[in-house]
């Protein structure tokens, strides 16, 4: 059959995403991938430079996506299918362009880990993400903010005269347009993926890209790559070079032979063909290879420990097989960002397909022989010269205009095109995609003034170009507030505070109060921050009672997010009663949510009621948006246990040790992704 691209519908149990967090994401990115380099570890010079290359200060201008729960119901999802007579790839354009399935027709094999449910979890930089398939990560270290966002999609001409599926969007953390072209030549057993990232600006931009592929995992799964060493990163947040395949006494190329989750970034020799494969007991599985620009290869494993298994059940349907991830990136590790010059672009071609190698060699004790067996087989089914030729054939088609729009992404790219007059062949950002979120900014471009009314929660651009426009805008509550956001994003915190104070003077109300509270937290001004948070919450409560339906609804939706941010600083300032009063003002439905049950337990502990706090844990609750690497559940559990053991006396090393013995952490609250430190 000739290659085709068609629409379809996929029905899956889905936990709805819900609304985004309405508050600006001013806090530090909270990256679990921050590292400490051991003194005896020498990094290559380029790696050291790229690890320190412009790390994120926050996830602005995006918002946190934390409005989802864990109640899954069958839902119909728009999907796009590209297939030939050998392969069928199913893509979810509304969820980051995820390749949900890659089916090999001759053998009937599913080559990817295909998650039977779509359960959001807080793994993306901005929260919601889900496991399975092939995902396209751009922006900064971590899963992209577009993981659960719609992308533009269209049919485009393919180099062989057939058709390709193009995905594209404007990535807002780094303000870069990118595209992903999926191409299945007639009769091919490999899905080709052409990727282009462009820098349309007049300055260098740090670029991050990793293609992550979830693959089925069992005791016999082995991940192979052409390397004898790897950079190991665990949740102890250290980076060290280790041998491959064995380190710390076991063969780490088998994902279930590790106790804890970990990353292994393979150190591919200079000039080696880049590839990575996941093969089963019989030597069958998936191989990924690429042109040389995509130099990094990585294995992510959950491990066989209690926490890793808990996370696997959390992300999918209990009782289903687990998964590992094989990944490919622009740099050797995901801790790095690669500079892209002004006006420049990065392009490469990837290939995904089935591989069958001699199982005796694949699982033999001789690592070099295992690698050679896979590479020899790869050279037979897809010679290196063939993928280089496919890349050369694809590149002129990257600028071809889409023939038929199949899905629509956001309007932010169209706004940037309107601001800068950009010409981006191949990736049109149509003015028709501009929506309500972009309208105030179009008004600013055309009139030099933001709408005069006080700011309400909503997304806002914060790039240097928009900061310049805001600095020239007519002063007013909205302009001063948004200028403060842009200044904070740029690291100019003192100017941001002054802008928010001017916004207050203009009558802007609750949002500048919230921003000033966050700023005072960042400066360690705990008592002043608590005052500001209390004032902001009271202001938002009054606005929620507004006679204007839209205003009242916006602020009623904001109150839980504000309480969630405000209560920890109130507790840090010793104001447990104020925190309790804030919780009590929330509707019962919010207070029943797992995040607020944990906060209630922390408030009760701070009020000297550890038994009441323990009762909340004993009754059971779940935090749907528990972040990767988060330890607040175990920390709070043991803080309660220590107080119960110590009674009215001080907590000592002896009582803390007793607390861990007498009050072991229940499995349902075990999400720690690193070895447990002694009390």
């Amino acid at each position: 059959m000739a290659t085709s691209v068609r629409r379809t519908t996929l029905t899956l149990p889905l936990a709805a995403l819900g609304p985004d967090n309405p508050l600006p994401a001013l806090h530090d990115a909270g990256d679990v991938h921050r590292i400490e380099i051991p003194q005896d570890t020498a990094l290559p010079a380029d790696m050291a430079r790229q690890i320190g290359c412009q790390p994120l200060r926050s996830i602005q201008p995006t918002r946190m996506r934390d409005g989802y729960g864990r109640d899954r119901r069958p839902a119909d999802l728009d999907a796009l299918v590209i297939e030939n007579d050998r392969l069928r790839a199913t893509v979810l354009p509304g969820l980051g362009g995820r390749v949900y399935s890659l089916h090999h027709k001759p053998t009937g094999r599913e080559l990817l880990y295909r998650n039977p449910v779509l359960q959001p979890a807080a793994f993306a930089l901005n929260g919601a993400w889900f496991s399975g398939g092939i995902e396209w990560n751009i922006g900064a270290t971590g899963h992209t903010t577009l993981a659960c966002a719609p992308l533009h999609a269209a049919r485009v001409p393919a180099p062989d005269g057939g058709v390709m599926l193009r995905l594209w969007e404007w990535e807002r953390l780094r303000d870069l347009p990118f595209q992903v072209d999926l191409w299945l030549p007639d009769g091919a057993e490999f899905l080709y993926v052409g990727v282009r990232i462009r820098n349309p600006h007049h300055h260098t931009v740090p670029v991050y890209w990793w293609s992550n592929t979830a693959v089925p995992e069992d005791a016999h799964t082995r991940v192979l790559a052409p390397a004898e060493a790897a950079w190991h990163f665990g949740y102890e947040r250290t980076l060290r070079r280790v041998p491959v395949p064995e380190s710390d006494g076991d063969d780490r190329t088998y994902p279930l032979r590790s106790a804890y989750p970990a990353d292994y970034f393979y150190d591919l020799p200079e000039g080696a063909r880049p590839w990575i494969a996941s093969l089963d007991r019989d030597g069958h599985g998936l191989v990924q290879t690429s042109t040389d620009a995509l130099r990094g290869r990585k294995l992510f494993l959950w491990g066989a420990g209690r926490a890793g298994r808990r996370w696997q059940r959390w992300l999918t349907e209990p009782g289903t097989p687990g998964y590992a991830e094989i990944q490919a990136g622009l740099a050797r590790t995901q801790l790095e960002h690669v500079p892209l010059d002004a006006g420049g672009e990065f392009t490469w071609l990837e290939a995904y397909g089935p591989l069958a190698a001699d199982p005796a060699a694949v699982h033999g004790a001789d690592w070099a022989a295992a690698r050679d067996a896979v590479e020899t087989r790869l050279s037979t089914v897809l010679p290196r010269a063939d993928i280089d030729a496919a890349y050369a054939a694809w590149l002129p088609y990257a600028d071809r205009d889409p023939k038929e729009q199949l899905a629509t992404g956001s309007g932010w790219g169209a706004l940037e095109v309107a601001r800068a007059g950009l010409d981006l062949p191949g990736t049109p950002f149509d003015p028709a995609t501009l929506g309500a979120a972009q309208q105030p900014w179009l008004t600013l471009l055309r009139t030099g003034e933001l709408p005069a009314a006080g700011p309400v929660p909503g997304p806002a651009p914060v790039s240097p170009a928009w900061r310049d426009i805001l600095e020239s805008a007519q002063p007013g509550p909205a302009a001063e507030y948004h200028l403060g956001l842009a200044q904070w994003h740029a690291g100019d915190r003192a100017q941001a505070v002054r802008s928010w104070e001017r916004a207050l003077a203009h009558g802007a109300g609750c949002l500048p109060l919230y921003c000033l509270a966050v700023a005072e937290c960042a400066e360690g001004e705990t008592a002043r921050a608590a005052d500001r948070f209390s004032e902001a919450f009271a202001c938002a409560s009054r606005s929620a009672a507004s006679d204007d339906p839209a205003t009242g609804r916006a602020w009623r939706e904001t109150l839980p997010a504000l309480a969630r941010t405000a209560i920890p600083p109130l507790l840090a300032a010793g104001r447990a009663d104020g925190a309790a009063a804030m919780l009590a003002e929330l509707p019962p439905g919010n207070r029943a949510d797992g995040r607020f049950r944990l906060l209630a337990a922390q408030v009760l502990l701070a009020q000297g009621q550890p038994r009441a706090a323990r009762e909340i844990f004993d009754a059971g609750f779940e935090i749907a948006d528990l972040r990767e690497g988060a330890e607040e559940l175990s920390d709070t559990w043991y803080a309660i246990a220590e107080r119960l053991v110590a009674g009215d006396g001080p907590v000592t090393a002896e009582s803390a040790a007793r607390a861990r013995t007498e009050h072991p952490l229940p499995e349902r609250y075990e999400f720690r992704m690193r070895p447990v430190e002694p009390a």
Side-chain angles (χ1 to χ4, degrees):
M1 62 179 290
T3 300
S4 65
V5 174
R6 58 182 171 85
R7 291 187 173 97
T8 190
T9 300
L10 199 64
T11 302
L12 289 172
L14 167 70
L17 286 170
D20 288 357
N21 191 310
L23 295 171
L26 300 179
H27 292 85
D28 291 341
D31 183 15
V32 298
H33 298 94
R34 66 183 185 275
I35 62 167
E36 298 175 5
I37 308 297
Q39 290 185 348
D40 59 352
T41 299
L43 299 182
D46 62 334
M47 184 187 293
R49 284 194 306 272
Q50 291 175 174
I51 283 177
C53 182
Q54 298 185 41
L56 286 184
R57 295 187 180 92
S58 74
I59 64 157
Q60 286 193 90
T62 63
R63 293 297 172 99
M64 290 301 299
R65 308 205 73 174
D66 56 10
Y68 54 87
R70 293 188 58 80
D71 180 18
R72 295 192 290 264
R73 299 182 181 181
D76 292 338
L77 299 170
D78 291 333
L80 301 172
V81 174
I82 177 170
E83 67 179 317
N84 62 8
D85 59 344
R86 314 296 289 176
L87 285 175
R88 181 172 61 247
T90 304
V91 179
L92 301 177
L95 292 167
R98 184 78 59 99
V99 179
Y100 176 74
S101 168
L102 186 59
H103 178 79
H104 185 233
K105 294 181 178 182
T107 61
R109 287 178 176 270
E110 173 59 49
L111 301 179
L112 308 177
Y113 170 74
R114 187 174 58 190
N115 198 332
V117 303
L118 286 184
Q119 174 57 62
F123 278 60
L125 287 163
N126 63 336
W129 167 90
F130 63 100
S131 63
I134 307 172
E135 59 180 296
W136 319 112
N137 289 300
I138 182 173
T141 300
H143 295 280
T144 178
T145 60
L146 297 168
C148 290
L151 303 190
H152 302 283
R155 290 187 181 93
V156 294
D160 60 353
V163 64
M164 292 190 297
L165 172 59
R166 175 164 298 161
L167 307 165
W168 74 98
E169 192 38 289
W170 190 277
E171 199 286 313
R172 299 186 70 205
L173 292 181
R174 302 300 191 185
D175 268 328
L176 297 176
F178 72 97
Q179 70 190 76
V180 177
D181 287 354
L182 306 177
W183 172 31
L184 266 177
D186 189 20
E189 290 223 335
F190 280 82
L191 173 67
Y192 290 148
V193 180
V195 182
R196 176 166 64 171
I197 303 170
R198 288 186 275 195
N199 178 5
H201 307 296
H202 298 296
H203 56 272
T204 299
V205 177
V207 171
Y208 174 93
W209 181 279
W210 281 79
S211 304
N212 291 11
T213 304
V215 290
E217 163 214 73
D218 63 27
H220 303 286
T221 301
R222 193 176 204 189
V223 172
L224 303 100
E228 295 183 354
W231 294 93
H232 169 269
F233 178 81
Y235 289 82
E236 304 92 333
R237 302 190 177 97
T238 58
L239 185 68
R240 59 191 177 95
R241 199 167 187 267
V242 299
V244 174
E246 288 195 12
S247 65
D248 297 329
D250 215 330
D251 187 335
R252 305 300 176 180
T253 62
Y254 290 90
L256 287 177
R257 294 188 185 177
S258 293
Y260 290 94
D263 299 331
Y264 289 90
F265 299 102
Y266 293 113
D267 198 357
L268 275 58
E270 193 72 30
R273 181 181 185 178
W275 59 267
I276 189 168
S278 173
L279 305 179
D280 64 14
R281 178 204 297 264
D282 300 320
H284 293 274
L286 174 80
V287 66
Q288 187 273 359
T289 186
S290 70
T291 49
D292 292 348
L294 204 66
R295 67 179 300 190
R297 291 298 185 277
K298 169 192 159 184
L299 162 64
F300 168 75
L301 54 85
W302 284 107
R306 191 166 78 146
R309 297 299 95 193
R310 177 74 174 118
W311 274 114
Q312 292 257 30
R313 293 193 299 276
W314 187 254
L315 296 171
T316 184
E317 190 72 18
T320 57
Y323 73 96
E325 288 185 2
I326 57 174
Q327 307 180 8
L330 279 175
R332 268 179 289 205
T333 74
Q334 288 174 336
L335 309 169
E336 302 169 65
H337 296 78
V338 183
L340 178 56
D341 292 338
E345 65 181 34
F346 289 142
T347 59
W348 65 89
L349 191 82
E350 306 180 41
Y352 297 80
L355 192 81
D358 177 12
V362 167
H363 297 287
D366 187 332
W367 172 243
R371 294 196 326 259
D372 289 347
V374 175
E375 186 146 5
T376 298
R377 185 61 184 151
L378 175 60
S379 297
T380 300
V381 298
L382 185 62
R384 189 173 190 176
D386 285 6
I387 195 168
D388 290 338
Y391 168 69
W394 163 75
L395 199 55
Y397 284 76
D399 281 348
R400 292 291 185 96
D401 288 332
K403 294 173 62 178
E404 179 189 357
Q405 191 90 8
L406 299 171
T408 303
S410 78
W412 295 110
L415 180 67
E416 292 303 318
V417 168
R419 179 191 62 77
L422 302 174
D423 181 23
L424 299 169
T427 54
F429 292 98
D430 194 323
T433 62
L434 292 162
Q438 291 83 41
Q439 288 306 316
W441 305 98
L442 283 172
T443 300
L444 177 62
L445 284 177
R446 293 166 179 165
T447 69
E449 186 174 356
L450 277 174
V456 295
V462 293
S463 69
W466 285 103
R467 175 179 173 175
D468 290 344
I469 294 169
L470 284 164
E471 285 176 340
S472 302
Q474 184 70 24
E480 299 290 0
Y481 163 71
H482 286 105
L483 176 58
L485 296 183
Q487 290 164 333
W488 183 270
H489 178 69
D492 194 350
R493 295 189 167 186
Q495 286 285 9
V497 167
R498 284 191 280 273
S499 293
W500 290 326
E501 288 172 341
R502 288 195 300 271
L504 275 181
H506 282 293
C510 314
L511 284 171
L513 285 170
Y514 167 79
C515 294
L516 289 167
V518 173
E520 282 157 352
C521 268
E523 290 297 316
E525 297 285 348
T526 308
R528 293 180 62 185
D531 289 339
R532 291 278 200 190
F533 275 123
S534 298
E535 191 178 354
F537 189 83
C539 176
S541 295
R542 292 191 297 272
S543 298
S546 170
D547 292 334
D548 177 69
T551 299
R553 182 174 62 254
W555 286 106
R556 283 192 296 275
E557 293 172 354
T558 303
L559 277 175
L562 185 49
R564 176 173 165 172
T565 307
I567 286 172
L570 286 172
L571 293 178
R575 302 185 188 179
D577 291 344
M582 194 174 287
L583 273 177
E585 281 198 44
L586 297 178
N590 292 128
R591 295 200 303 272
D593 179 81
R595 174 62 61 180
F596 290 100
R597 298 303 295 151
L598 176 62
L599 287 173
Q602 293 169 343
V603 168
L604 287 167
L605 179 63
Q607 290 178 317
Q609 302 180 62
R611 294 194 181 281
R614 174 61 177 268
E615 288 173 1
I616 291 176
F617 275 85
D618 291 343
F621 61 89
E622 291 183 330
I623 299 177
D625 63 327
L626 193 68
R627 286 198 69 78
E628 175 187 9
E631 297 182 354
E632 62 256 49
L633 281 170
S634 52
D635 288 349
T636 304
W637 170 272
Y638 284 121
I640 294 168
E642 289 169 1
R643 180 46 53 201
L644 289 173
V645 169
D648 294 331
V651 174
T652 64
E654 180 183 358
S655 64
R658 277 183 54 209
R660 291 176 181 265
T661 301
E662 296 174 9
H663 301 272
L665 182 69
E667 191 273 342
R668 70 179 301 170
Y669 302 122
E670 178 61 275
F671 290 92
R672 293 171 293 185
M673 300 173 78
R674 60 191 176 102
V676 178
E677 297 176 359

